[in-house]
Amino acid sequence: SVSQYMKHLGELLPNTLTTNDEEVQYCIFASDEIFSKNTPVLVTVDPISSAILRIEMADSRKAEVWKEHWKCLEDNGVLAAWLVSDEGSGLRSAQKEALSESVWQPDTYHAKQ
């Protein structure tokens, strides 16, 4: 079935974008969470290309978990020049602690809700 094929493809791919060289790449991060049942899935994408930079199932949406999520991207040569996110407490706290040098912008979707 389609879902089994997609699951198989997903298992073959890494959950974090890696660069092929030693050059650091700066990206715009659009970060938010989705849910699989009650489990948060943290997602960071590049809104220009729609590339998924990192996706992972997590135990929580707390600041420490988001900081580790972005640290993994940094360890793979991808740094945030700009962050777009909602104003969730975990995301905002993590941004202030881990990405304070990056510009932060609230997303317009949640701002209009």
Side-chain angles (χ1 to χ4, degrees), residues 6-64:
M6 295 300 288
K7 183 177 187 290
H8 174 71
L9 286 176
E11 291 170 347
L12 297 175
L13 297 170
N15 68 344
T16 306
L17 177 74
T18 57
T19 59
N20 292 331
D21 51 36
E22 294 184 21
E23 185 176 314
V24 172
Q25 294 186 16
Y26 287 91
C27 291
I28 297 172
F29 286 6
S31 295
D32 204 355
E33 64 278 329
I34 56 176
F35 290 89
S36 174
K37 298 185 182 180
N38 292 327
T39 304
V41 179
L42 309 185
V43 182
T44 296
V45 301
D46 170 17
I48 295 171
S49 68
S50 298
I52 297 172
L53 303 175
R54 180 160 174 76
I55 185 168
E56 65 177 311
M57 293 185 92
D59 294 330
S60 75
R61 299 176 287 157
K62 293 181 179 179
E64 288 303 316

